[in-house]
Amino acid sequence: MKGPIWLIGMMGSGKSTVAPIVAAALDREWADADALIEQRLGVTAAEALRESEDRFRGAEIDVIRSLVRKPVVVATGGGAATTPAAEIMRSSGVIVWLRATVATLAARVGDGQGRPLLAGDDAALVRIESERRDIYAALADVVVDTDDMKPAAIAQLVVEACANASSEV
């Protein structure tokens, strides 16, 4: 497999934690799409989303586009799969959905500090997960459940799944 490995999923699913572990196991570079967006825009991802979601999503598409020809493991933002970036990812690599239950996601994101889409709204996580679940399912080449798992174990499943998916994708 030469193209990117795109990690998709909800906030709290483990994308940013697992990406460097997967990359190390596969001797690849890794990238955090939100960090690259922050560099591009000069503000945090949270600030960028609060200021203009359209501007943030445009930068996100640019970042995704810049990675398509690289053998990199990418931790995407949770919403990337809901934008035109999804088709860019679909055509360029293996897409792995890190799936977790809402209860696990809620435990991992805590009070949602720094996550503007939650903005103190206790029902937001449930609503967003419900809106995105089918999108993630349709886009994913591979699904890895992350509930009750340590990052190293999740990464190992991703590595194994990508090895199997690369012969099919």
Side-chain angles (χ1 to χ4, degrees), residues 8-15 78 97-113 115 118 122-133 136 144-149 154:
I8 65 169
M10 286 290 296
M11 58 188 94
S13 63
K15 301 178 304 285
W97 175 19
L98 298 185
R99 181 172 61 186
T101 63
V102 172
T104 295
L105 298 170
R108 290 178 182 165
V109 300
D111 66 1
Q113 187 71 14
R115 298 184 187 263
L118 298 184
D122 292 340
L125 189 64
V126 172
R127 184 181 67 255
I128 295 166
E129 192 279 337
S130 175
E131 292 168 354
R132 293 180 180 174
R133 181 183 321 127
Y136 293 148
V144 174
D145 289 311
T146 68
D147 292 318
D148 302 318
M149 294 186 67
I154 296 167

Side-chain angles (χ1 to χ4, degrees), residues 21-108:
I21 302 168
V22 172
L26 296 173
D27 195 29
R28 289 176 170 233
E29 296 292 318
W30 74 280
D32 185 297
D34 283 349
L36 294 173
I37 293 166
E38 289 174 352
Q39 288 174 359
R40 220 172 253 257
L41 298 179
V43 296
T44 68
E47 291 169 328
L49 274 167
R50 273 194 299 273
E51 291 171 7
S52 170
E53 187 170 355
D54 287 342
R55 181 173 176 236
F56 176 88
R57 295 298 174 201
E60 182 174 57
I61 290 167
D62 290 344
V63 163
I64 297 295
R65 207 175 269 130
S66 75
L67 297 169
V68 297
R69 294 201 176 358
K70 299 179 180 179
V72 63
V73 179
V74 182
T76 67
T82 67
T83 72
E87 287 308 313
I88 298 167
M89 291 185 287
R90 183 188 308 266
S91 67
S92 64
V94 175
I95 301 173
V96 180
W97 175 19
L98 298 185
R99 181 172 61 186
T101 63
V102 172
T104 295
L105 298 170
R108 290 178 182 165

